[in-house]
């Protein structure tokens, strides 16, 4: 929730920006402010102060993830791949922050999973170079439904079944985390967090 975003600034008395540190990384600037005549803008005075907004958000998220993982003693992370946008963005950020060899994407299909979801997940893996594992969960899902049949009283299916799938996937990811020592990354977005709904 708190990162140090760099971009330290040296400013002359007249307000001229003399130098700007690199964003979201360590940097060293040497600025001569006592030389004869008016100060001369140094390296980085132009072009490094502002960032494209999306590039800045990307760098901030990658830095936050990298720092959190390292400071908590994690070298590798694991996340669920659905073929959707949220898991794709999370996977790309993780690969950039930690290196693709340290990111495990897990695809967990059920009878409701489409061929397109799988092909999108595999395309993401190919494009990012992250590690991949496929663990079908339809057997677990069927067992849940069998055991819950009486309790659900034969009512037609709704979001209940969808949420059972999500919880099974969360348990699978936590099992992999426990066994291999990976940090589990949630792939929810801010809208989901705001209303208290996010798939692990």
């Amino acid at each position: 929730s708190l990162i140090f975003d760099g971009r330290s600034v040296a400013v002359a008395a007249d307000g001229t920006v003399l130098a700007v540190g690199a964003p979201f990384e360590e940097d060293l600037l040497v600025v001569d402010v006592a030389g004869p005549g008016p100060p001369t803008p140094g390296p980085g005075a132009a072009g490094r102060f502002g960032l494209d907004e999306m590039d800045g958000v990307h760098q901030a998220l990658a830095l936050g993830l990298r720092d959190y993982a390292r400071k908590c003693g994690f070298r590798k992370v694991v996340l669920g791949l659905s073929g959707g946008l949220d898991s794709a963005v999370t996977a790309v950020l993780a690969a950039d922050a930690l290196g693709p060899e340290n990111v495990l994407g897990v695809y967990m299909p059920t009878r409701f999973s489409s061929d397109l979801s799988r092909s999108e997940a595999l395309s993401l893996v190919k494009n990012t170079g992250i590690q991949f594992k496929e663990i079908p969960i339809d057997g677990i899902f069927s067992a849940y439904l069998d055991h819950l049949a009486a309790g659900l009283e034969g009512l037609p299916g709704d979001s209940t079944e969808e949420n059972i799938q999500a919880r099974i996937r969360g348990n699978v990811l936590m099992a992999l985390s426990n066994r291999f020592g990976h940090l589990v990354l949630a792939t929810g977005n801010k809208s989901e967090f705001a209303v208290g709904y996010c798939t692990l």
Side-chain angles (χ1 to χ4, degrees):
S1 62
L2 176 64
I3 62 171
F4 296 95
D5 59 357
R7 290 185 284 196
S8 298
V9 182
V11 182
D14 66 359
T16 301
V17 176
L18 299 177
V20 181
F24 305 106
E25 62 183 68
E26 292 183 12
D27 197 9
L28 172 65
L29 298 173
V30 179
V31 181
D32 183 4
V33 294
T40 302
R48 288 171 70 189
F49 187 66
L51 280 175
D52 171 81
E53 182 179 1
M54 290 310 300
D55 186 47
V57 169
H58 180 96
Q59 289 187 44
L61 290 170
L63 174 64
L65 175 56
R66 184 184 311 112
D67 279 359
Y68 181 85
R70 287 178 179 167
K71 290 172 183 176
C72 293
F74 292 98
R75 289 181 50 250
K76 297 180 181 283
V77 296
V78 60
L79 69 148
L81 298 182
S82 65
L85 183 60
D86 291 345
S87 64
V89 170
T90 305
V92 169
L93 284 167
D96 287 351
L98 303 166
E101 69 280 3
N102 295 314
V103 180
L104 173 61
V106 184
Y107 181 65
M108 297 167 276
T110 67
R111 69 195 73 170
F112 301 111
S113 302
S114 68
D115 291 338
L116 179 61
S117 292
R118 186 175 191 277
S119 66
E120 290 291 336
L122 289 173
S123 177
L124 173 69
V125 169
K126 180 181 177 184
N127 289 333
T128 59
I130 66 173
Q131 309 304 301
F132 178 74
K133 188 181 291 283
E134 182 169 342
I135 302 177
I137 62 166
D138 205 63
I140 304 170
F141 181 53
S142 295
Y144 261 81
L145 296 181
D146 289 344
H147 286 281
L148 284 170
L152 297 178
E153 299 176 359
L155 295 173
D158 55 17
S159 61
T160 304
E161 285 78 8
E162 293 177 29
N163 288 329
I164 288 172
Q165 291 177 88
R167 293 184 185 107
I168 292 169
R169 290 182 173 116
N171 279 326
V172 170
L173 293 175
M174 292 306 298
L176 294 173
S177 171
N178 290 155
R179 177 57 53 92
F180 299 111
H182 294 7
L183 173 67
V184 178
L185 300 183
T187 58
N189 60 48
K190 285 288 190 179
S191 297
E192 291 170 332
F193 281 118
V195 296
Y197 177 87
C198 177
T199 301
L200 180 65

